[in-house]
Amino acid sequence: MIDVWEAITHAHHEEWARVVAALTRRFGDLDVAEEAAAEAFATALERWPADGVPPNPGAWLTTTANRKAIDRIRRENRRDDKQQEARLLYDGPPEPVGAIDDERLRLIFTCCHPALAMETRVALTLRMVGGLTMPEIARAFLVQETAMGQRITRAKAKIKAARIPYRVPAAEDLPARVSGVLAVLFLVFNEGYLATGPGTDPVRHDLTAEAIRLTRLIRALMPQDGEVAGLLALMLLTEARRTARVSASGELVALNEQNRGAWDAALIAEGHRLVRERLAAGVAPGRYQILAAINAVHTSARSIRDTDWSQVLTLYDQLLRLDPSPIVALNRAIALAELDGPEVALAAVDRLEDKLAGYHAYHATRADLLRRLGQSQKARAAYDKAIELAGNTAETANLTRRRDQLG
């Protein structure tokens, strides 16, 4: 049973987006696609323990989901419409495709239509393409689960009512559409880089690999776009450290403790090349390009002691002007601590309390700064709060160890 459960979990990671994308193309309805895909996985939970895991789980799930979708549409329509019946039973002729034919990329662009608000585009795509649960998406946005569910439901209804097409936009339409797509891919990557769901692997390589794959496809569509290149560089430089980020005991390993010899040199070289290309372009960088540059500084240092913190802080100052968010300010404070000391950084962090009180990294950062200042009792309370809010098992293990080491 354990092997079957692992097979279903693996199939969900690998096949969810493919199944949803295939059903969306065929039936033109995100609700139908999502519910039929979910029913197919529920059926797998019932059937596979008894019948065994099929040789091609993806094909089995797609076929089952198609049947579930057809059954639902028949129940809803209940009319003698021979043309409708034929449309359900047989796929029509393939639609003309653009330079890149990828079902999941088409699904992303459908979910990221300009008719939807930016946050809604991101949330919907995390659900439909990334396969994230409502609690995972709600945590990514720091909002209540019920509110996020309502937002996604309204978005699917709007796509259906407005007849938003399922396709990669024409070349002239790409610039207006790509920002939402990049935001989606960045959050999908982040969920894989530090998974928030209880019971999931602390690092989900399936999500990071898929985000990188899709970003490469978008770069092929828009080779001159600086932010596409920046996001790809950021992902590569982050992914390069993946195998060093979790210890053999399942604990998150902080950057300053990682074995840099275990980093992927090829990914780092590719990421650095992309950063250099953008610098040579002489164009003012956007958010992803600056984040990539920060990661390039970190991955250029032979040890944590060699890190050019002055350059990191300068880059965060530049980023804050583009994105004055409290999370960027929190990350800037971490760099500030290395230059001006933990007391100055703690004052900067404390100013963010109203905006980040429900964010575990805020309390973890405070705890570390308080520890460095010798304020063990306050540091312990901050660690306790960070542990309470953290959803990642590897991060919880790291925070618990650091708390227990306090004098």
Side-chain angles (χ1 to χ4, degrees), residues 65-242:
N66 267 290
R67 290 172 180 158
K68 299 290 185 183
I70 290 170
D71 288 345
R72 172 180 167 171
I73 293 172
R74 281 173 170 162
R75 288 195 303 270
E76 290 179 353
N77 287 312
R78 292 191 181 280
R79 60 177 180 267
D80 186 19
D81 185 334
K82 297 300 183 183
Q83 289 183 339
Q84 174 77 355
E85 186 80 0
R87 187 181 73 80
L88 293 176
L89 294 176
Y90 304 101
D91 280 319
E95 298 177 20
V97 297
I100 295 176
D101 181 23
D102 185 276
E103 291 284 11
R104 286 159 292 180
L105 193 61
R106 297 167 87 188
L107 182 57
I108 283 181
F109 275 104
T110 301
C111 294
C112 292
H113 195 275
L116 303 174
M118 178 63 78
E119 283 194 349
T120 300
R121 298 179 215 174
V122 175
L124 180 63
T125 313
L126 287 171
R127 176 70 195 128
M128 303 304 295
V129 182
L132 273 63
T133 64
M134 289 299 180
E136 289 169 339
I137 300 170
R139 278 194 291 270
F141 281 89
L142 305 179
V143 299
Q144 293 294 317
E145 181 182 342
T146 52
M148 183 54 65
Q150 291 167 357
R151 186 183 300 176
I152 289 176
T153 297
R154 288 194 298 267
K156 288 188 290 188
K158 187 166 187 176
I159 284 176
K160 184 175 182 179
R163 298 182 180 276
I164 288 173
Y166 173 70
R167 65 166 185 260
V168 175
E172 60 270 20
D173 297 326
L174 279 171
R177 299 282 296 278
V178 76
S179 61
V181 174
L182 296 183
V184 165
L185 292 174
F186 185 42
L187 280 180
V188 171
F189 181 87
N190 281 344
E191 178 60 31
Y193 171 74
L194 196 65
T196 59
T200 64
D201 292 334
V203 176
R204 287 185 56 181
H205 178 54
D206 60 303
L207 289 181
T208 58
E210 181 67 357
I212 290 171
R213 187 188 76 83
L214 291 169
T215 305
R216 287 191 187 280
L217 289 180
I218 295 174
R219 178 156 165 77
L221 286 171
M222 306 179 70
Q224 303 304 317
D225 189 287
E227 281 293 80
V228 175
L231 180 59
L232 180 58
L234 172 60
M235 289 180 176
L236 294 174
L237 294 173
T238 307
E239 180 72 359
R241 305 195 299 267
R242 175 172 54 86

Side-chain angles (χ1 to χ4, degrees), residues 285-288 290-291 294 311-336 348-349 351-352 355-356:
R287 176 172 178 251
Y288 299 119
I290 297 173
L291 286 169
I294 292 169
Q311 189 177 1
V312 171
L313 189 65
T314 298
L315 288 166
Y316 270 120
D317 287 338
Q318 191 175 357
L319 182 58
L320 265 176
R321 289 193 288 271
L322 288 179
D323 179 16
S325 75
I327 292 178
V328 172
L330 179 67
N331 289 327
R332 179 190 180 276
I334 295 170
L336 185 65
V349 169
R351 288 194 290 270
L352 304 172
K355 296 178 180 177
L356 294 179

